[in-house]
């Protein structure tokens, strides 16, 4: 008898509770294995940085991105073999979820473990909408388990700002000893001057005790060729409005690590942790705690953005879905077509009261587009795996979304059913969406240029050029440079969001545009060459 056949026979004689317990333990072990490998890859970031091993650093980032899918593939296969013909018995899965919840209750990463279980159920059932009985639609924990360790904060006080900065950068827990540094005294002095200027610009009243302090998150954030220490600075012990800061480190040559920049205030940190950037590698025992620490520094950041930023993008999707469902329950507006030029490849719609857009691939693309659905999805996958350079909007894939049909504007609903029938269908009072990309909603650049004042238009124009350069530096060519394919974030940064023509710069062949030599060529409606 084959191994699969033996497992199937065994599952047939097990009681529901025993089979549920067996499978729950299998999932818990798979999650522990995934977390162990995730942790090992993350830990390599410090050595990559110190050795200036940039190819290895980027390879680690790519390996970690693919780790989840690989582990989930193995787990799904194992569960199918174990459960055999009982694979879709929901009463077993309901019991399995309960056992699994008890197994992860003492884990410091319980919320990540819940999303891991959800990924498995969706692979098995391809659920339309959600099923509370077999998924963690809401967390099983009203608050974090009391056994969860907290990430330590590093606190520095009792000296000048310059001295405190040096102490934070050379703290043994950070992992960079004094011999690793280059020109630290000079760069720390200049960083202190900037921080002091920020304090002077603050409207807060002075205090009798003007001794400054620093409170830094205990983990180092690594991404690309940089390392970052994040926290906040206090003017004095009575300061009720500390300044959020990030110390940006580089290791450009054998001379040592340099303090390359200091970012000051929530806006600067929000750009560093933007949804247009690759994920950090940051070692933390408790993602829940770390994300809440970061949110204290950036209160306008959503949980999805912060979980994404530290590499837990699958749980970021869970947080988004929970927030989205809550918003639907507490709002009454309808989905409408998003503002901006109509796409030739995608339908884009939005809920006006919620700051994301949903993008569906059309059944048939408008002329002259010759892409295929697979080609478009490949490009979106490229964006997920590539360094987004702060200029590419992150897109999350969702499958089998179920939304009440009366939440859709009738004109939009009719258009979706006519032109994206392979992706949407009506089921009683709901619209079921088989596949969609969800992105942050930003103002299209072409509209922004018409409505903004002269100074804002000039700044956006300059940043539009910088965006193209930044993408080129990361080996990305947008393909279509029209302003309708770019947008402006709330921080005034120009980013790119239309990926159906995106490609690697090294795959392009650029040529000089032939110059017209006759009036007929000059005025031709179509290219004469």
């Amino acid at each position: 008898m084959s191994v699969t056949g033996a497992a199937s026979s065994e599952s047939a004689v097990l009681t529901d509770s025993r089979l549920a317990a067996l499978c729950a333990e299998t999932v818990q072990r798979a999650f522990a294995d995934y977390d162990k490998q995730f942790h090992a890859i993350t830990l390599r970031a410090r050595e990559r940085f110190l050795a200036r091993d940039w190819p290895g650093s980027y390879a680690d980032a790519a390996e970690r991105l693919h780790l989840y899918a690989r582990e989930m593939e193995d787990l799904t296969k194992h569960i199918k073999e174990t459960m055999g013909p009982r694979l879709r018995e929901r009463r077993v899965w309901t019991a399995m979820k309960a056992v699994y919840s008890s197994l992860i209750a003492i884990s410091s990463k319980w919320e990540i473990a819940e999303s891991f279980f959800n990924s498995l159920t969706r692979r098995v059932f391809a659920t339309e909408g959600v099923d509370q009985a077999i998924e963690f639609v809401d967390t099983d924990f009203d608050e974090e388990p009391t056994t969860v360790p907290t990430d330590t904060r590093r606190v520095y006080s009792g000296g000048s700002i310059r001295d405190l900065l040096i102490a934070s950068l050379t703290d043994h827990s950070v992992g960079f000893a004094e011999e690793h540094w280059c020109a630290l005294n000079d760069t720390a002095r200049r960083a202190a001057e900037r921080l002091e200027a920020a304090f002077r610009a603050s409207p807060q009243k002075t205090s009798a005790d003007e001794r400054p302090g620093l409170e830094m998150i205990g983990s180092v954030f690594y991404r690309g060729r940089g390392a970052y220490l994040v926290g906040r600075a206090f003017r004095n012990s009575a300061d009720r409005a500390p300044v959020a800061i990030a110390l940006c480190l580089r290791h450009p040559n054998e001379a040592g690590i340099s303090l390359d920049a200091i970012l000051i205030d929530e806006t600067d940190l929000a750009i560093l942790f933007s949804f247009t950037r690759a994920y950090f590698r940051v070692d933390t025992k408790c993602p829940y705690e770390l994300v809440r620490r970061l949110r204290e520094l950036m209160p306008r950041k959503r949980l999805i953005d912060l979980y994404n930023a530290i590499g837990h993008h699958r749980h970021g999707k869970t947080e988004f879905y929970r927030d989205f469902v809550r918003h639907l329950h507490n709002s009454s507006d309808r989905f409408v077509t998003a503002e901006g030029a109509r796409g030739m490849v995608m339908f884009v719609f939005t809920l006006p009261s919620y700051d994301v857009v949903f993008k569906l691939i059309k059944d048939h693309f408008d002329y002259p587009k010759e892409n295929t659905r697979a080609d478009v999805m490949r490009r979106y996958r490229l964006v997920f795996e590539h360094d987004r350079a702060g200029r590419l909007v992150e897109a999350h894939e969702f499958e089998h979304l179920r939304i009440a049909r009366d939440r859709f504007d009738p004109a939009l609903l009719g258009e979706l059913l006519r032109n994206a029938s392979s992706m949407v269908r009506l089921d009683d009072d709901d619209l079921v969406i088989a596949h969609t990309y969800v992105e942050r909603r930003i103002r299209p650049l072409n509209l922004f240029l018409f409505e903004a004042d002269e100074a804002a238009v000039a700044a956006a124009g300059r940043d539009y050029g910088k965006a193209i350069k930044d993408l080129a530096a990361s080996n990305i060519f947008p393909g279509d440079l029209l302003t309708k394919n770019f947008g402006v974030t709330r921080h005034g940064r120009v980013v790119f969001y239309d990926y159906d023509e995106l490609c690697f710069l090294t795959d392009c062949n650029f040529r000089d545009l032939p110059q017209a030599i006759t009036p007929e060529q000059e005025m031709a409606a179509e290219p004469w060459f």
Side-chain angles (χ1 to χ4, degrees):
M1 180 182 292
S2 67
V3 174
T4 302
S8 299
S9 298
E10 182 181 354
S11 71
V13 298
L14 289 175
T15 64
D16 288 356
S17 58
R18 289 188 61 192
L19 181 59
L22 176 64
C23 291
E25 291 168 0
T26 299
V27 181
Q28 194 274 335
R29 286 195 301 271
F31 175 73
D33 183 61
Y34 160 75
D35 184 58
K36 180 180 178 181
Q37 294 185 64
F38 185 97
H39 179 68
I41 296 170
T42 300
L43 281 182
R44 293 203 294 263
R46 175 182 175 274
E47 296 307 319
R48 301 286 196 198
F49 181 75
L50 288 175
R52 302 194 314 282
D53 180 9
W54 312 131
S57 179
Y58 286 111
D60 283 347
E63 180 184 352
R64 201 178 70 169
L65 280 177
H66 292 102
L67 175 63
Y68 194 97
R70 188 173 68 242
E71 288 293 308
M72 190 55 58
E73 191 71 33
D74 291 343
L75 172 60
T76 304
K77 180 180 178 181
H78 194 172
I79 289 294
K80 287 180 177 178
E81 292 175 349
T82 301
M83 298 187 72
R86 305 179 67 183
L87 179 65
R88 294 179 178 273
E89 290 186 9
R90 289 179 177 267
R91 65 177 183 274
V92 176
W93 282 85
T94 300
M96 188 194 310
K97 177 192 169 192
V99 175
Y100 183 77
S101 183
S102 68
L103 292 175
I104 64 173
I106 61 172
S107 170
S108 62
K109 299 177 181 178
W110 83 96
E111 80 276 39
I112 314 299
E114 287 181 338
S115 291
F116 191 81
F117 187 90
N118 288 352
S119 295
L120 174 63
T121 62
R122 289 195 157 265
R123 278 177 172 251
V124 172
F125 288 97
T127 313
E128 292 179 352
V130 293
D131 187 341
Q132 182 75 58
I134 62 174
E135 295 178 74
F136 293 94
V137 180
D138 297 307
T139 179
D140 266 16
F141 304 100
D142 294 329
E143 58 185 25
E144 65 272 26
T146 56
T147 55
V148 168
T150 58
D151 281 1
T152 57
R153 302 190 195 193
R154 296 182 288 108
V155 179
Y156 308 91
S157 59
S160 67
I161 294 179
R162 171 188 164 279
D163 292 340
L164 298 182
L165 288 172
I166 292 176
S168 69
L169 293 167
T170 57
D171 191 313
H172 70 88
S173 65
V174 174
F176 305 140
E178 289 192 32
E179 59 267 22
H180 289 132
W181 289 90
C182 173
L184 179 57
N185 288 328
D186 184 49
T187 53
R189 175 184 57 78
R190 284 184 283 162
E193 290 172 353
R194 285 202 57 204
L195 195 49
E196 288 166 349
F199 282 148
R200 289 193 297 271
S202 170
Q204 190 186 64
K205 295 180 180 180
T206 58
S207 167
D209 180 5
E210 283 298 311
R211 290 175 297 178
L214 295 181
E215 182 183 273
M216 307 300 289
I217 289 176
S219 305
V220 184
F221 296 76
Y222 295 92
R223 181 171 63 200
R225 301 187 179 209
Y228 305 85
L229 303 181
V230 178
R232 52 188 177 180
F234 296 82
R235 184 196 316 225
N236 52 60
S237 58
D239 193 349
R240 293 294 180 267
V243 176
I245 64 171
L247 306 176
C248 310
L249 317 182
R250 293 291 183 268
H251 194 190
N253 51 52
E254 294 181 357
I257 301 170
S258 64
L259 174 57
D260 187 63
I262 180 171
L263 304 181
I264 300 175
D265 77 29
E266 178 190 347
T267 298
D268 280 357
L269 261 68
I271 294 173
L272 179 66
F273 283 80
S274 171
F275 56 88
T276 62
R277 297 187 183 275
Y279 305 143
F280 288 105
R281 278 164 291 153
V282 50
D283 183 35
T284 177
K285 294 180 180 178
C286 182
Y288 182 98
E289 183 75 14
L290 177 58
V291 162
R292 271 74 187 169
R293 292 278 184 264
L294 291 171
R295 209 174 191 188
E296 290 176 2
L297 305 176
M298 298 169 282
R300 296 178 65 183
K301 280 287 185 186
R302 303 176 307 170
L303 290 178
I304 177 178
D305 298 322
L306 295 174
Y307 274 107
N308 288 348
I310 64 173
H312 292 295
H313 60 282
R314 297 294 182 128
H315 184 68
K317 287 177 61 175
T318 299
E319 292 291 349
F320 164 78
Y321 187 79
R322 289 170 178 169
D323 185 70
F324 175 60
V325 170
R326 284 193 297 267
H327 185 84
L328 284 178
H329 288 162
N330 295 314
S331 63
S332 59
D333 54 334
R334 289 179 168 181
F335 289 94
V336 296
T337 301
E339 289 188 282
R342 302 296 290 268
M344 296 181 176
V345 172
M346 294 280 203
F347 280 120
V348 185
F349 62 91
T350 187
L351 192 65
S353 61
Y354 201 63
D355 65 343
V356 301
V357 295
F358 295 79
K359 304 174 73 171
L360 272 67
I361 303 175
K362 293 182 177 181
D363 291 341
H364 304 287
F365 302 159
D366 298 346
Y367 178 83
K369 296 290 187 179
E370 297 180 350
N371 311 53
T372 64
R373 177 183 298 277
D375 188 39
V376 174
M377 295 181 71
R378 179 181 62 80
R379 284 175 162 85
Y380 273 80
R381 185 70 185 177
L382 184 156
V383 170
F384 170 72
E385 296 176 349
H386 195 70
D387 178 10
R388 294 191 291 279
R391 300 294 185 174
L392 296 173
V393 177
E394 181 170 31
H396 283 284
E397 284 188 83
F398 282 86
E399 295 180 319
H400 311 299
L401 283 180
R402 179 180 288 271
I403 303 172
R405 66 183 293 177
D406 62 7
R407 295 304 299 268
F408 288 83
D409 176 78
L412 170 63
L413 182 61
E415 192 169 15
L416 291 175
L417 292 172
R418 284 192 305 272
N419 300 308
S421 58
S422 65
M423 288 292 103
V424 301
R425 65 178 178 85
L426 291 176
D427 184 16
D428 294 330
D429 293 330
D430 294 331
L431 182 73
V432 178
I433 302 174
H435 180 270
T436 184
Y437 294 100
V438 178
E439 297 178 3
R440 177 68 66 86
R441 186 176 67 215
I442 52 182
R443 194 64 178 158
L445 179 58
N446 60 321
L447 300 183
F448 182 88
L449 295 176
F450 277 108
E451 62 196 17
D453 59 41
E454 184 176 349
V457 167
R462 289 190 295 270
D463 205 49
Y464 168 61
K466 291 179 182 176
I468 296 171
K469 289 183 176 180
D470 288 345
L471 290 172
S474 68
N475 195 29
I476 290 294
F477 181 63
D480 193 339
L481 298 177
L482 297 176
T483 55
K484 69 183 181 69
N485 298 321
F486 291 78
V488 183
T489 71
R490 63 186 172 95
H491 299 300
R493 283 178 62 83
V494 174
V495 297
F496 186 67
Y497 54 65
D498 191 329
Y499 303 146
D500 55 89
E501 297 287 348
L502 177 144
C503 62
F504 288 122
L505 187 69
T506 48
D507 290 341
C508 298
N509 180 19
F510 294 94
R511 309 180 199 179
D512 291 331
L513 191 68
Q515 297 300 306
I517 56 178
T518 68
E520 290 76 16
Q521 292 175 350
E522 179 74 29
M523 301 303 293
E526 298 295 331
W528 58 271
F529 50 83

